[in-house]
Amino acid sequence: MSVQLWTWILVGISFALYFGIAIWARAGSTKEFYVAGGGVSPLANGMATAADWMSAASFISMAGIISFAGYDGSVYLMGWTGGYVLLALLLAPYLRKFGKFTVPDFIGDRYYSNTARTVAVICALIVSFTYVAGQMRGVGIVFSQFLQVEITTGVIIGMAVVLVFAFLGGMKGITYTQVAQYCVLIFAFMVPAIFISIQMTGSIIPQIGMGGRVEDGTYLLEKLDNLHTQLGFKEYTEGSKSTWDVFAITLALMAGTAGLPHVIVRFFTVPNVKDARKSAGYALLLIAILYTTAPAVSVFARTNLIETVSNQEYSTMPEWFKNWENMGLIAWSDKNEDGKIQYVNGEATTGKPEFTEERGANGERIIVNASTETNELYVDRDIMVLANPEIAQLPAWVIALVAAGGLAAALSTAAGLLLVISTSVSHDLIKKQLKPDISDKGELLAARLSILVAVIVAGLFGIYPPGFVAAVVALAFGLAAASFFPAIVLGIFDKRMNKQGAISGMVVGIILMLFYMIRFKTGLIGVLEPLPESKWWFGTSPEGFGTVAMFINVIISVIISRLTPAPPKSVLKIVESIRIPSGAGEAQSH
């Protein structure tokens, strides 16, 4: 059977399962819509959290980034798993004890101010939209490759599917759908990894295979380092980032993760604080399965890719090469016209050689061929995981399984994010501020309408994306680190923190981060070109700048809170009660 047929079958079965669950778990009340009625078992919640956490960026892009960046890609592994630990220990139990549905809700009540709540809503929307753009792009890539449609059509199909999940079931539908999606996603990531590990190193465990030996007795990583140096790339196991930048990116990813609204909400869906801690533990184990396998997948994919294409005749390239080429995610231009693929270090330019003018020492004009680099191949990083089983010539059903897994990863996260967007609007803006007397039914309607708008906006982001998936996502983490994280942590651990401090810190943090991101990463289309690396402040990359913005946020919050009146007694009481371990009386919801 062909890959496409298998894809239709596996994607069809998994989708039928998701829809069945969404219909079975329809939400009847706002509590079920927002937090699944607060009655989900720790293991189920752990699986749902893991699926929510592992987005298209983890499934599709992360191994892709590591396979191109080598050692430098490890910041994503450390940041995204470390952040989870931070969340489970420092924030989750306390927020669960506080008993609020959303992050803006916590911030609004802890800082006794609707202004703080509104600032938090705006931050939540900015973070969630930046993040969801990456997911929609991931959905588009998978659909377009495996169903052979345009990326735009792929994004539209994805929008329709997410809408059904989120619309019907809210948090209740999404939780149980995500349990199924976790199973599909982890199975789809592990099966090809195990197959390829056995094929290349004879080890059934990919994590061990990565450090194992290949047929001729050399270590796999040594072989990859050699391949890299032969082709003029830096050694795979060597890093090029400065220690400070590695630290900054890792910390920004950690704090950003811990401040991500859609993951924090997960801890309100279990019955009590003890279960919140338990499900955090389960989720960490379940996430670690994928995160410890990703570096191995990167090494396998990179080695296989180089061996398949380097110095080979273009006419002998397998079918997968041509498929990705048709989608524009692989490009080859024969510069020396020998019909072979030269894959060496250097950016591949597609199409005609470019000519530029330069001035000689005496001012005379010299025409230079700008594409003198000998590299002829461009490979998009986001295809590494999806193309990996094809490169390794695994059976058709495995290739199709990866497609189903990629979709499960992107859709589960997209659904969780859309829920945050809709609760921010319906609960934190409408119910808490604009129209406090709104009925339960009215609030549900508002939530569903805001999901509709959010899906359309997210789809547009997916069709006109700002860069590739994981980089966009890394910026979302920077934004969360710069805005939410300090407000939440100081709100729990600093009794003297008041609304003036928190609001000014959040505003300064997110504006600074947005400014840096636009100035050095994205630019403003038609207005500003992004500045080069040499102009970075303190040598901090845009992905790591969240750390700097976060420290500035903390300093400003602390200074301003000490210069302004202390928070009222009622708030101090709340803060004290949050810190008492559960069992000594749950915090009352105020």
Coordinates of all heavy atoms in Angstrom, one line a residue, residues 475-524:
L475 N 10.2 32.7 20.7 CA 9.9 34.1 21.0 C 8.7 34.2 21.9 O 8.7 35.1 22.8 CB 9.7 34.9 19.7 CG 11.0 35.1 18.8 CD1 10.6 35.7 17.5 CD2 12.0 35.9 19.5
A476 N 7.7 33.3 21.7 CA 6.6 33.4 22.6 C 7.0 33.1 24.0 O 6.5 33.7 25.0 CB 5.6 32.3 22.1
F477 N 8.0 32.2 24.2 CA 8.5 31.9 25.6 C 9.2 33.2 26.1 O 9.0 33.5 27.3 CB 9.4 30.8 25.5 CG 8.8 29.4 25.4 CD1 8.6 28.9 24.1 CD2 8.3 28.8 26.5 CE1 7.9 27.7 24.0 CE2 7.6 27.6 26.3 CZ 7.4 27.0 25.1
G478 N 9.9 33.9 25.3 CA 10.6 35.1 25.8 C 9.5 36.1 26.2 O 9.7 36.7 27.3
L479 N 8.5 36.2 25.5 CA 7.4 37.2 25.9 C 6.8 36.8 27.2 O 6.5 37.6 28.1 CB 6.3 37.2 24.8 CG 6.7 37.9 23.5 CD1 5.7 37.7 22.4 CD2 6.9 39.4 23.7
A480 N 6.5 35.5 27.4 CA 5.9 35.0 28.6 C 6.9 35.2 29.8 O 6.5 35.6 30.9 CB 5.5 33.5 28.5
A481 N 8.2 35.0 29.6 CA 9.2 35.2 30.7 C 9.2 36.6 31.0 O 9.3 37.0 32.2 CB 10.5 34.7 30.2
A482 N 9.2 37.5 30.1 CA 9.3 38.9 30.3 C 8.1 39.6 31.0 O 8.2 40.6 31.6 CB 9.6 39.7 29.0
S483 N 6.9 38.9 30.8 CA 5.7 39.5 31.4 C 5.1 38.8 32.6 O 5.1 39.4 33.7 CB 4.7 39.6 30.3 OG 4.4 38.4 29.7
F484 N 4.7 37.6 32.4 CA 4.0 36.9 33.5 C 4.8 36.4 34.6 O 4.4 36.4 35.8 CB 3.4 35.6 32.9 CG 2.2 35.8 32.1 CD1 2.0 35.1 30.9 CD2 1.2 36.6 32.6 CE1 0.9 35.3 30.2 CE2 0.1 36.9 31.8 CZ -0.1 36.2 30.6
F485 N 5.9 35.7 34.2 CA 6.6 34.9 35.2 C 7.0 35.7 36.5 O 6.7 35.3 37.6 CB 7.9 34.4 34.6 CG 8.6 33.4 35.5 CD1 8.1 32.2 35.8 CD2 9.9 33.7 36.0 CE1 8.7 31.3 36.7 CE2 10.5 32.9 36.9 CZ 10.0 31.6 37.2
P486 N 7.6 36.9 36.4 CA 7.9 37.7 37.6 C 6.6 38.1 38.4 O 6.6 38.0 39.6 CB 8.5 39.0 37.1 CG 9.0 38.6 35.7 CD 8.1 37.6 35.2
A487 N 5.5 38.4 37.7 CA 4.3 38.8 38.4 C 3.7 37.6 39.2 O 3.2 37.8 40.3 CB 3.3 39.3 37.4
I488 N 3.8 36.4 38.6 CA 3.3 35.3 39.3 C 4.1 34.9 40.5 O 3.7 34.7 41.6 CB 3.1 34.1 38.4 CG1 2.2 34.4 37.2 CG2 2.6 32.9 39.1 CD1 2.1 33.4 36.2
V489 N 5.5 34.8 40.3 CA 6.4 34.4 41.3 C 6.4 35.4 42.5 O 6.3 35.0 43.7 CB 7.8 34.2 40.8 CG1 8.8 33.9 41.9 CG2 7.8 33.0 39.8
L490 N 6.5 36.7 42.1 CA 6.5 37.7 43.2 C 5.1 37.7 43.9 O 5.1 38.0 45.1 CB 6.8 39.1 42.6 CG 8.3 39.2 42.1 CD1 8.4 40.5 41.3 CD2 9.3 39.2 43.2
G491 N 4.1 37.4 43.2 CA 2.8 37.4 43.8 C 2.6 36.3 44.8 O 1.9 36.5 45.8
I492 N 3.3 35.2 44.6 CA 3.3 34.1 45.6 C 4.3 34.4 46.7 O 4.0 34.1 47.9 CB 3.6 32.8 44.9 CG1 2.5 32.5 43.9 CG2 3.6 31.6 45.9 CD1 2.9 31.3 43.0
F493 N 5.5 34.8 46.4 CA 6.6 34.7 47.4 C 7.0 36.1 48.0 O 7.8 36.2 48.9 CB 7.8 34.1 46.8 CG 7.6 32.7 46.4 CD1 7.4 32.3 45.1 CD2 7.6 31.7 47.4 CE1 7.2 30.9 44.8 CE2 7.4 30.4 47.1 CZ 7.2 30.0 45.8
D494 N 6.4 37.2 47.5 CA 6.7 38.5 48.0 C 5.4 39.2 48.5 O 4.7 39.7 47.7 CB 7.4 39.4 47.0 CG 7.8 40.7 47.5 OD1 7.7 40.9 48.7 OD2 8.1 41.6 46.7
K495 N 5.2 39.2 49.8 CA 4.0 39.8 50.4 C 3.9 41.2 50.1 O 2.8 41.8 50.0 CB 3.9 39.5 51.9 CG 3.5 38.1 52.2 CD 2.9 37.9 53.6 CE 4.0 37.9 54.6 NZ 3.5 37.3 55.9
R496 N 5.0 41.9 50.0 CA 5.0 43.4 49.9 C 4.7 43.8 48.4 O 4.4 45.0 48.1 CB 6.3 43.9 50.3 CG 6.5 45.4 50.4 CD 5.7 46.0 51.4 NE 5.8 47.5 51.5 CZ 5.3 48.3 50.5 NH1 4.6 47.8 49.5 NH2 5.4 49.6 50.6
M497 N 4.6 42.9 47.5 CA 4.4 43.2 46.1 C 3.0 43.7 45.9 O 2.0 43.1 46.3 CB 4.6 41.9 45.2 CG 4.5 42.2 43.7 SD 5.4 43.5 43.1 CE 7.1 43.1 43.6
N498 N 2.9 44.9 45.3 CA 1.5 45.5 45.2 C 1.2 45.7 43.7 O 2.0 45.4 42.8 CB 1.5 46.8 45.9 CG 2.5 47.8 45.4 OD1 3.1 47.6 44.4 ND2 2.7 48.9 46.2
K499 N 0.0 46.3 43.4 CA -0.4 46.4 42.1 C 0.4 47.3 41.2 O 0.8 47.1 40.1 CB -1.9 46.8 42.0 CG -2.2 48.2 42.5 CD -3.7 48.5 42.4 CE -4.1 49.8 43.0 NZ -5.5 50.0 43.0
Q500 N 0.9 48.5 41.9 CA 1.7 49.4 41.1 C 3.0 48.7 40.6 O 3.3 48.9 39.4 CB 2.1 50.6 41.9 CG 0.9 51.5 42.3 CD 0.2 51.1 43.6 OE1 0.3 49.9 44.0 NE2 -0.5 52.0 44.2
G501 N 3.6 48.0 41.5 CA 4.8 47.3 41.1 C 4.6 46.3 40.0 O 5.3 46.3 39.0
A502 N 3.6 45.4 40.2 CA 3.4 44.4 39.2 C 3.0 44.9 37.8 O 3.5 44.4 36.8 CB 2.3 43.4 39.7
I503 N 2.1 45.9 37.8 CA 1.6 46.4 36.5 C 2.8 47.1 35.8 O 3.1 46.8 34.6 CB 0.5 47.5 36.7 CG1 -0.7 46.8 37.2 CG2 0.2 48.1 35.3 CD1 -1.8 47.7 37.7
S504 N 3.6 47.9 36.5 CA 4.7 48.6 35.7 C 5.7 47.6 35.3 O 6.2 47.7 34.2 CB 5.3 49.7 36.6 OG 5.5 49.2 37.9
G505 N 6.0 46.6 36.1 CA 6.9 45.5 35.7 C 6.5 44.8 34.4 O 7.2 44.6 33.5
M506 N 5.2 44.4 34.4 CA 4.7 43.6 33.2 C 4.7 44.5 32.0 O 5.1 44.0 30.9 CB 3.2 43.2 33.5 CG 3.1 41.9 34.3 SD 1.5 41.1 34.2 CE 0.5 42.3 35.0
V507 N 4.3 45.7 32.1 CA 4.2 46.6 30.9 C 5.6 46.8 30.4 O 5.9 46.6 29.2 CB 3.6 48.0 31.3 CG1 3.7 48.9 30.1 CG2 2.1 47.7 31.6
V508 N 6.6 47.2 31.3 CA 8.0 47.4 30.8 C 8.5 46.1 30.2 O 9.1 46.2 29.1 CB 8.9 47.9 32.0 CG1 10.3 47.9 31.5 CG2 8.4 49.3 32.4
G509 N 8.3 45.0 30.9 CA 8.9 43.7 30.4 C 8.4 43.4 29.0 O 9.2 43.1 28.1
I510 N 7.1 43.4 28.8 CA 6.6 43.0 27.5 C 6.9 43.9 26.4 O 7.3 43.6 25.2 CB 5.1 42.6 27.5 CG1 4.8 41.7 26.3 CG2 4.2 43.8 27.5 CD1 3.8 40.6 26.6
I511 N 7.0 45.3 26.7 CA 7.3 46.2 25.7 C 8.7 46.1 25.2 O 9.1 46.1 24.1 CB 7.0 47.7 26.1 CG1 5.4 47.9 26.2 CG2 7.6 48.7 25.2 CD1 5.0 49.2 26.8
L512 N 9.6 45.9 26.2 CA 11.0 45.8 26.0 C 11.3 44.6 25.1 O 12.0 44.6 24.1 CB 11.8 45.6 27.3 CG 13.3 45.9 27.3 CD1 13.5 47.4 26.9 CD2 13.8 45.7 28.7
M513 N 10.6 43.4 25.5 CA 10.8 42.2 24.7 C 10.3 42.4 23.3 O 10.9 41.9 22.3 CB 10.1 41.1 25.4 CG 10.3 39.7 24.8 SD 12.0 39.1 24.7 CE 11.8 37.9 23.4
L514 N 9.1 43.0 23.1 CA 8.6 43.2 21.8 C 9.5 44.1 20.9 O 9.7 43.8 19.8 CB 7.2 43.8 21.8 CG 6.0 42.9 22.1 CD1 4.7 43.7 22.4 CD2 5.8 41.9 21.0
F515 N 10.0 45.1 21.6 CA 10.9 46.0 20.9 C 12.1 45.3 20.4 O 12.5 45.4 19.2 CB 11.3 47.2 21.8 CG 12.6 47.9 21.3 CD1 12.5 48.9 20.3 CD2 13.8 47.7 21.9 CE1 13.6 49.5 19.8 CE2 14.9 48.3 21.4 CZ 14.8 49.3 20.4
Y516 N 12.7 44.5 21.3 CA 14.0 43.8 20.9 C 13.7 42.8 19.8 O 14.5 42.6 18.9 CB 14.5 43.1 22.1 CG 16.0 42.7 22.0 CD1 17.0 43.7 22.3 CD2 16.4 41.5 21.7 CE1 18.3 43.3 22.2 CE2 17.8 41.1 21.6 CZ 18.7 42.1 21.9 OH 20.0 41.8 21.8
M517 N 12.6 42.1 19.9 CA 12.2 41.1 19.0 C 12.0 41.7 17.6 O 12.5 41.1 16.6 CB 10.9 40.5 19.5 CG 10.4 39.3 18.7 SD 9.0 38.7 19.7 CE 7.7 38.8 18.5
I518 N 11.3 42.9 17.5 CA 11.1 43.5 16.2 C 12.4 44.1 15.7 O 12.7 43.9 14.5 CB 10.0 44.6 16.4 CG1 8.7 43.9 16.6 CG2 10.0 45.5 15.1 CD1 7.6 44.9 17.1
R519 N 13.2 44.7 16.6 CA 14.4 45.3 16.1 C 15.5 44.3 15.6 O 16.2 44.6 14.7 CB 15.0 46.1 17.3 CG 16.0 47.2 16.9 CD 15.3 48.4 16.3 NE 16.1 49.2 15.5 CZ 16.4 49.1 14.2 NH1 15.9 48.0 13.6 NH2 17.2 49.9 13.6
F520 N 15.6 43.1 16.3 CA 16.7 42.2 15.9 C 16.3 41.0 15.2 O 17.1 40.2 14.8 CB 17.5 41.9 17.2 CG 18.2 43.1 17.7 CD1 17.7 43.8 18.7 CD2 19.4 43.5 17.2 CE1 18.4 44.9 19.2 CE2 20.1 44.6 17.7 CZ 19.6 45.3 18.7
K521 N 15.0 40.7 15.2 CA 14.6 39.4 14.7 C 13.7 39.5 13.5 O 13.9 39.0 12.4 CB 13.9 38.5 15.8 CG 13.5 37.1 15.4 CD 14.7 36.2 15.4 CE 14.3 34.8 15.0 NZ 15.3 33.9 15.0
T522 N 12.5 40.2 13.7 CA 11.5 40.2 12.7 C 11.5 41.4 11.8 O 11.3 41.3 10.6 CB 10.1 40.1 13.3 OG1 10.0 41.2 14.3 CG2 9.9 38.8 14.1
G523 N 11.9 42.6 12.4 CA 11.8 43.8 11.6 C 10.4 44.1 11.4 O 9.5 43.3 11.7
L524 N 10.1 45.3 10.9 CA 8.7 45.7 10.6 C 8.6 45.7 9.1 O 9.4 46.4 8.4 CB 8.3 47.1 11.2 CG 7.9 47.1 12.6 CD1 7.7 48.6 13.1 CD2 6.7 46.3 12.9

